[in-house]
Amino acid sequence: FQAPMDGTAQKTPREFVEAVTGDDVQRIYRHRFSEADRKAKADIWRVVVEAGLQRWIPADATVLDIGCGYGEFLNHVRCKKRIGVDLNPDSRTALAKEIEFHVGDVRDLSFLPDASVDVAFTSNLLEHLPTKKDVEALLREARRVLRPGGHVIALGPNLRFLPGDYWDFWDHLTPITDRSLVEVLENLDFRTTDCIPRWLPYTTRSALPQSTFLVRLYLHVPLAWRFLGGQFLIRARKP
């Protein structure tokens, strides 16, 4: 990058990214999702949790949702304790009142002690982080707060199957595939228990299953995932 002609300091790409604030995230997501969009997503996610994810969440578990958004996962999962963290302050208004919420950088889980969580969940977050180093830092923090035998569950768009569409969202920054995420998790001493390269469709705005009945049917037909899925699902255990 060349210095600007007026002599002012020129920010690097990373500095631009790190300057993103909760207000920026709030503005982007208020523009991207209307109230109707949010309600439709919540209905779909209720089925995704009930029919797809709940089986891995024990009733007595403490669950942390890293990048909890509008509570699509956290509002519907059944467990003993639910904790969410997100940079977007609007998340608080969307979460059930009994959910413990922390607004701030998702890479900083210092509000939680070591080995205090049974399941660390994240969905459609990692690709928004500035660099792969930031993804690794988040995963290290997730490993720290997980109890031995606890699991991290990660969902996200799989660049292997979305080479162009992946970049259609302004805030997608870091390229990730199921294979690269498994590699970094295992480098951090996690043990992969499940890796589904294609699970959910890429976006709820697609022409793919929208009604809760069709979503439930889709989740029970793994053959359909191979043709319609654009997001990976990875579950890895802390020894």
Side-chain angles (χ1 to χ4, degrees):
F1 277 63
Q2 296 180 343
M5 296 299 293
D6 63 2
T8 58
Q10 175 69 57
K11 288 186 177 182
T12 67
R14 180 178 174 83
E15 287 170 333
F16 273 120
V17 170
E18 292 189 336
V20 171
T21 67
D23 290 340
D24 297 324
V25 175
Q26 185 182 61
R27 172 179 49 80
I28 289 171
Y29 279 81
R30 283 182 177 179
H31 178 267
R32 184 171 296 166
F33 300 111
S34 66
E35 286 295 326
D37 291 333
R38 287 168 57 177
K39 183 181 185 305
K41 283 187 67 178
D43 290 342
I44 290 171
W45 267 91
R46 175 176 55 80
V47 178
V48 170
V49 173
E50 290 175 357
L53 297 170
Q54 188 64 59
R55 57 183 164 153
W56 292 318
I57 314 295
D60 60 349
T62 294
V63 173
L64 168 68
D65 189 348
I66 307 172
C68 62
Y70 295 121
E72 293 89 350
F73 167 78
L74 209 53
N75 279 338
H76 298 108
V77 68
R78 299 188 306 276
C79 59
K80 183 177 180 180
K81 184 176 182 179
R82 295 174 289 175
I83 306 168
V85 57
D86 202 287
L87 191 61
N88 186 353
D90 279 349
S91 294
R92 173 67 277 174
T93 63
L95 296 174
K97 62 180 180 179
E98 65 271 17
I99 292 173
E100 178 184 325
F101 176 65
H102 299 264
V103 62
D105 190 330
V106 294
R107 296 166 295 185
D108 179 10
L109 304 179
S110 58
F111 57 86
L112 287 171
D114 295 357
S116 58
V117 168
D118 299 292
V119 177
F121 177 83
T122 185
S123 173
N124 289 263
L125 167 73
L126 303 180
E127 68 275 12
H128 298 277
L129 297 180
T131 68
K132 289 189 174 181
K133 283 293 184 183
D134 294 287
V135 174
E136 186 171 337
L138 182 150
L139 295 174
R140 287 183 184 277
E141 271 289 85
R143 192 182 188 284
R144 178 186 66 79
V145 301
L146 279 171
R147 297 187 176 103
H151 288 82
V152 59
I153 301 174
L155 278 65
N158 195 335
L159 185 58
R160 285 210 288 139
F161 309 115
L162 304 162
D165 293 350
Y166 191 90
W167 302 111
D168 285 348
F169 294 95
W170 184 249
D171 48 347
H172 281 194
L173 302 171
T174 298
I176 297 174
T177 71
D178 57 310
R179 294 170 180 171
S180 64
L181 188 56
V182 165
E183 181 175 52
V184 70
L185 284 166
E186 294 187 348
N187 284 342
L188 294 175
D189 200 31
F190 282 94
R191 301 291 181 264
T192 304
T193 56
D194 297 275
C195 178
I196 304 173
R198 292 177 179 264
W199 194 49
L200 295 181
Y202 177 40
T203 167
T204 56
R205 291 183 175 181
S206 72
L208 301 177
Q210 296 293 321
S211 76
T212 54
F213 169 77
L214 290 176
V215 173
R216 192 177 299 276
L217 179 62
Y218 172 83
L219 291 170
H220 285 91
V221 184
L223 180 62
W225 308 349
R226 296 172 57 186
F227 300 97
L228 303 179
Q231 296 193 45
F232 56 71
L233 184 156
I234 295 169
R235 189 167 68 105
R237 181 178 63 85
K238 175 181 175 179

